[in-house]
Amino acid sequence: MSAAVHHLPQADLERLLQQIFVRHGTSESVARTLAANCASAQRDGAHSHGVFRIPAYVSTLASGWVNGTAVPQVQDVASGYVRVDAGGGFAQPALEAARALLVEKARSAGIAVLAIHNSHHFAALWPDVEPFAEEGLVALSVVNSMTCVVPHGARKPLFGTNPIAFAAPCAGHAPIVFDMATSAMAHGDVQIAARKGEQLPEGMGVDRDGQPTCDPQAILDGGALLPFGGHKGSALSMMVELLAAALTGGNFSFEFDWSQHPGAKTPWTGQLVIVIDPTKAEGSRFAERSRELVEQMQAVGLTRMPGERRLREREASARDGVSVTAQEFEQLQVLAKG
Amino acid sequence: MSAAVHHLPQADLERLLQQIFVRHGTSESVARTLAANCASAQRDGAHSHGVFRIPAYVSTLASGWVNGTAVPQVQDVASGYVRVDAGGGFAQPALEAARALLVEKARSAGIAVLAIHNSHHFAALWPDVEPFAEEGLVALSVVNSMTCVVPHGARKPLFGTNPIAFAAPCAGHAPIVFDMATSAMAHGDVQIAARKGEQLPEGMGVDRDGQPTCDPQAILDGGALLPFGGHKGSALSMMVELLAAALTGGNFSFEFDWSQHPGAKTPWTGQLVIVIDPTKAEGSRFAERSRELVEQMQAVGLTRMPGERRLREREASARDGVSVTAQEFEQLQVLAKG
C-alpha cells in the first residue's frame, strides 16, 4: 500500500538514513551530513530530493563512482576566496568543511566566494544557502549537473538542470529562499511524474528525436528537458556552467563519463557559493528592507512567497513527524540492513 | 522620411550626444560617460537603449529629477567591498568612479562587490559588465528600475524590469555577455513596438484591468509587463530588488515619487556589481574552458550565442558607421542646439 504514510521524528529519519549511508560505504561524517540534508528535504516536502533519492545514492556508492569517504581539502586562496577540492566525494561535506572560513571572510571582506570542484551534488540547493541567511548573510549558489537540457535554439542536450539558489534574511520572518532549476522542470520531478504515470505540461521537454513531448518517460529515455523561459533561462544555464565548472575547475555537465560505473547517478561537477554581508552597506537595516519588500508583494496580491510551501511542510513535519510512504519506509529499513 | 538612415563615425555620434547632455545640464564628465554609453548601445544595434533614449534623458534633466552634475562619493568599505553614493546622479559615472578600486579589490581578494545607491540607471546593463571580461574578469550586475512588472501570482505591478547582466572572458573570442530583463520584454522594446504600431507576442503583459494584452500601448497606458518564465523569472526579479536596492541602500522600484517632476523618466534606485577573478582557482585556464563550452554549444546546433547579434552590429558599425534614422539625426541636432 504505497498510499499508507509513516510519520517519524526528523531525528529518527536522520539516524536511519545515516545507517544506510555508512552501510553502503560512506564515512560517519559524510553520512551525518548527507542524512541531515536528505531528511531536511523530506521534512520540507521537497520529495524529489528526499528519501526518493536514497536508492540512487546507494547504487552510486556501490558503483565506485563517488568517494564516500573523501576528506575535502580546503584552500585559503585570498581574503575573499576559498577553494575546496571535494576529492571526488559529495559537495555537501566540502561546503561544511569550508563554511566557517567562508563566513569569516564574508564578514571581513564584505563578500566571499567558495569554489568547490571535484564534487558530486545530488541534493536540493536551498539547504546550502538557507543557513547563511539565518545568520544574517545573503547567499547565492549555483551548481551544474549532467547533460539533460537542450540549449535554446540548439538540437541536442548539453546543459544540466543547473539550479540557482538564493537566500536573504527577512526581519520577523523565515529567510527569503528560492531554489530553481534553470530547466523547465527539475529532473527529480520528471522521474516522480514518470513513476506515477502522469503527463507533464507542455514545453517541458523533447523525446529522443527532439520532438516536443508531455511524456516524462520519453524525456528520461533518451529525450531531454528544455530550459525555462526560452533564451533567457538558457543563458542563465550557460552562466551556471561557467560559474560552477569553468570557474571552480569542476567538470562541465557534459564532460564526465560514468559508463564504466553502472548504477552511477550523481553528477561529478562543481559548485559556487557567493556570500555577502549586508551590514557593510546598510548596517542592520537590510532585514527590515527585505521585510518591506515582502509586505509590498503581499499588498499587490501575492498569496504565496517563493519557498512558502516548504515552510508550511516544515511546520507540519515538526508537529506530526516527517512523512514517508510505507513503501519507502520499508525500503529504507531494508537498505539500512543490507 | 524615417526610413532614411544616416551613418556616422562613433566618435562623431559621441561628440553630438555629449553636446546634448552638456547643453541640458550635465557636467562635461557626466556627458562624456553617458554619451559613450549611449553611442555604444546604438553602435551595437541595441536601439531601445540608443539614441531613442535621448529625449527622455533631456526631459528628465529639465525636470530637475536627476542631478546631472553629481560627483559620486566612493567609499572603501572592506577588502572586497566598495560603496558609492551617486548623489542623485546617473549610475554610470558612479561605476566609473569606483571601477579601478573595484578591479584592484577583485584581483586581490578574489571577489569584490560594488554597491551603488542614490543612482539613476537609464541605459543597457551589458556596457557595465563587458569591460571587466575584456580584462579577464567575470562580472555580474543587477539593477532595479520602476514599477511596471506584476509579480507572478499577484494582481498589480510592483517590480521593475530588473535586468541581470553577465560577462566572462572567452579565449580567441569576444567575451561571453548577456543582459536580460527579468520581465518578459524590456520596457524600451515595448515603447518601440508601440511607436511602430506593432503587436506583441502573447504573454508579455496585461492592460490596466489586469487582462492579458498584445497591445504595447495598453501596457504603457496603465498596464504592466509580466515576468519572463513565470514564477522563476518573478523570483529572480525579487532577488534583483533585494540585491540592487535593499543591499545597496537604494530605493525599491516602487518607492520613489517623481510626480513633482513632470518629464522625469529615469528610475532612482540602486545597482550591484560583483566581480570575480577567475585566475584565483584556475590560473589562466578559465578563458580556455569558456571557449570549450562555446564550442560544445555550437556542436549541439546552437547557431547564435547570447550577445552575438550585438557583435555583428558592432562590426557593421565599425565598417559603415553607426546608423541612426534621418529623423533621429535631425532631432539630435536640434537638441544639441536648444
Side-chain angles (χ1 to χ4, degrees), chain A residues 9-18 21 32-46 49-51 54 126-127 317 322-324:
Chain A
Q10 189 179 345
D12 291 2
L13 178 59
E14 271 188 50
R15 211 158 19 234
L16 181 59
L17 295 176
Q18 219 172 303
F21 282 116
R32 255 196 313 278
T33 302
L34 295 184
N37 178 291
C38 182
S40 304
Q42 188 72 18
R43 172 198 71 193
D44 289 6
H49 290 96
V51 302
I54 294 296
W126 56 263
S317 295
V322 181
S323 64
V324 295

Side-chain angles (χ1 to χ4, degrees), chain A:
Chain A
M1 286 295 293
S2 73
V5 169
H6 270 261
H7 292 275
L8 63 170
Q10 189 179 345
D12 291 2
L13 178 59
E14 271 188 50
R15 211 158 19 234
L16 181 59
L17 295 176
Q18 219 172 303
Q19 278 173 27
I20 295 173
F21 282 116
V22 169
R23 173 83 49 174
H24 294 273
T26 78
S27 64
E28 288 285 350
S29 147
V30 167
R32 255 196 313 278
T33 302
L34 295 184
N37 178 291
C38 182
S40 304
Q42 188 72 18
R43 172 198 71 193
D44 289 6
H47 291 142
S48 62
H49 290 96
V51 302
F52 169 76
R53 295 258 156 167
I54 294 296
Y57 270 115
V58 166
S59 72
T60 302
L61 284 160
S63 77
W65 171 243
V66 68
N67 181 358
T69 61
V71 177
Q73 301 300 311
V74 178
Q75 193 189 347
D76 183 342
V77 176
S79 71
Y81 211 113
V82 186
R83 191 179 193 204
V84 188
D85 180 345
F90 292 100
Q92 290 76 18
L95 169 56
E96 199 166 281
R99 203 180 179 289
L101 183 60
L102 180 64
V103 168
E104 184 192 311
K105 283 182 186 296
R107 292 208 192 277
S108 156
I111 187 169
V113 61
L114 170 63
I116 301 173
H117 72 290
N118 196 10
S119 55
H120 295 250
H121 201 292
F122 195 54
L125 197 53
W126 56 263
D128 296 357
V129 292
E130 187 178 54
F132 293 105
E134 282 165 350
E135 48 183 310
L137 299 164
V138 174
L140 183 67
S141 183
V142 291
V143 61
N144 63 321
S145 50
M146 61 186 176
T147 294
C148 62
V149 173
V150 182
H152 184 79
R155 290 184 310 270
K156 292 182 199 162
L158 184 72
F159 299 149
T161 52
N162 296 4
I164 299 174
F166 175 78
C170 181
H173 285 72
I176 300 177
V177 180
F178 67 75
D179 173 2
M180 60 172 70
T182 53
S183 50
M185 268 184 96
H187 204 260
D189 289 328
V190 179
Q191 292 171 50
I192 285 186
R195 190 205 256 189
K196 292 185 178 169
E198 290 173 358
Q199 290 289 291
L200 304 178
E202 279 183 27
M204 300 294 116
V206 294
D207 64 18
R208 62 169 67 238
D209 302 318
Q211 297 304 310
T213 182
C214 295
D215 176 6
Q217 199 58 51
I219 291 175
L220 298 174
D221 294 343
L225 288 162
L226 295 173
F228 92 96
H231 72 280
K232 293 185 181 184
S234 190
L236 290 170
S237 187
M238 174 190 73
M239 178 185 80
V240 173
E241 295 288 343
L242 289 169
L243 293 177
L247 195 76
T248 64
N251 291 315
F252 287 125
S253 295
F254 53 83
E255 281 185 320
F256 51 86
D257 174 14
W258 52 20
S259 59
Q260 300 308 303
H261 299 268
K265 302 281 185 190
T266 60
W268 179 34
T269 59
Q271 178 180 8
L272 199 78
V273 185
I274 293 172
V275 179
I276 306 177
D277 179 0
T279 68
K280 284 288 181 288
E282 279 294 279
S284 58
R285 211 167 142 242
F286 178 84
E288 296 294 337
R289 295 285 287 153
S290 180
R291 183 190 183 131
E292 281 172 47
L293 179 64
V294 170
E295 286 171 354
Q296 289 300 321
M297 287 168 71
Q298 289 163 342
V300 296
L302 201 79
T303 52
R304 203 174 90 184
M305 283 291 295
E308 197 172 306
R309 192 176 63 84
R310 272 201 302 275
L311 294 179
R312 274 207 310 272
E313 296 274 347
R314 192 178 295 183
E315 278 172 30
S317 295
R319 195 178 57 230
D320 309 328
V322 181
S323 64
V324 295
T325 66
Q327 195 181 24
E328 283 167 337
F329 188 63
E330 199 178 310
Q331 186 180 35
L332 294 179
Q333 287 180 308
V334 170
L335 288 171
K337 283 169 197 151

